[in-house]
Amino acid sequence: MSTFRSIEWKGDRLVLLDQRRIPEAKVFLELRTPEEVAEAIRSMAVRGAPAIGAAAAFGMALAARAGRDLAEADQILRASRPTAVNLFWALDRMKRVWEGFSGDREALFLALEAEALRIAEEDVAANKAIGHNALPLIPDEARILHHCNTGSLATVDYGTALGIIRIAHEAGKKVHAFLDETRPRLQGARLSAFEMRELGIPHTVIVDGASGHVMKKFGIDLVVVGADRIAANGDTANKIGTYNLAIAARYHGIPFYVAAPTSTIDLKTPSGEAIPIEERAPEEVTHCGDTRVVPEGSPVYNPAFDVTPAELITAIVTEVGIAYPPFLESLPALVAKAEEARS
Ligand code: MRU
């Protein structure tokens, strides 16, 4: 893989690989204010739950560096996208540092910079641990179906569900990834295929509607997806189309795994019903690039995420272990284990 990270802190600015331009071009954005970071998250220049959490943390460091009102910066960043809980988790961590801080401006900036760097480095370590924890679940020869993009681009590095595929490949397993294209933003076709190509991992891109057919025709061994928010009962919000995939997997008797760091588990949200689902602009559906593909005047509904009910999920792989049902018991135990390891 090339030596860039999707998110790099440069001391006075955050450098992001603009994911809207992949695979046509590798363009880096230089962000210097919390407003610029919030806009990069909103417009999906940076995307993927862990990546937006880390980006927002650096947004707070930028605010402190400029001597800005931190409560205001915090609100601007919180308003950027609603579903991925990692955004709020990271901003809560930053808030625990700045709220009631007693040092001068420089000391406050250094403390927030250090916390943002910790969040970023912990994410990389968590992703590697997720990949290793999942190894026993992956057959030595495995056809794996994946949705959206959950790789290095969606995280600080390595990735969650794609990280599992990568680590299995590096461990010598013969993996073949079937990548859902993931309409309407095409994260699977554009970003996951880009990453798999760079890593030299065998893969095939399919349209979202082909997944049932591919399960039947090729005998998929497992489905692995990421998550934007996992409720206390295991219900999981992830990219739109994940729920359909889980239903198709159940019908075909295929294990369905969710891979996510414990920062994606939201024990305060009891079930999927309470997870806010982002709705995005109709133009994402009505247009492919500059070409209109839906007749003028036809109404569009464009939810960015759906919720897969816990009963369709075989297991949830985290950095501190694998949660199996009943998730109401296994998830709090893993969150406590992660908090203990952090303290
Ligand atoms: O709208 P996106 O592209 O930010 O959605 C991303 C996803 O749904 C990912 O699967 C999820 O954030 C996990 S990324 C490790």
Side-chain angles (χ1 to χ4, degrees), residues 44 47-50 81 148 150 154-155 160 187 227-228 238-239 305:
M44 294 173 66
R47 46 142 303 280
R81 287 190 82 186
C148 195
T150 63
T155 59
T160 57
Q187 290 94 329
D228 285 82
N238 191 50
K239 180 52 53 194
F305 302 97

Side-chain angles (χ1 to χ4, degrees), residues 8 168 221 236 256 291 302 315 319:
E8 285 226 64
D221 297 291
T236 295
F256 184 91
T291 308
N302 184 23
E319 76 277 21

Side-chain angles (χ1 to χ4, degrees), residues 19 41 44 46-52 81 84 86 123 127 146-151 153-155 159-162 182 185 187 191 225-229 237-240 242 259-261 264 278 280 304-305:
Q19 300 195 31
I41 294 172
M44 294 173 66
V46 59
R47 46 142 303 280
I52 66 179
R81 287 190 82 186
N86 306 60
D123 183 58
N127 294 334
H146 175 269
H147 194 62
C148 195
N149 171 262
T150 63
L153 292 166
T155 59
T160 57
L162 272 191
T182 318
R185 300 282 301 213
Q187 290 94 329
L191 308 177
V225 298
D228 285 82
R229 192 185 296 228
N238 191 50
K239 180 52 53 194
I240 191 74
T242 304
T264 307
E278 177 183 15
R280 293 188 63 87
F305 302 97

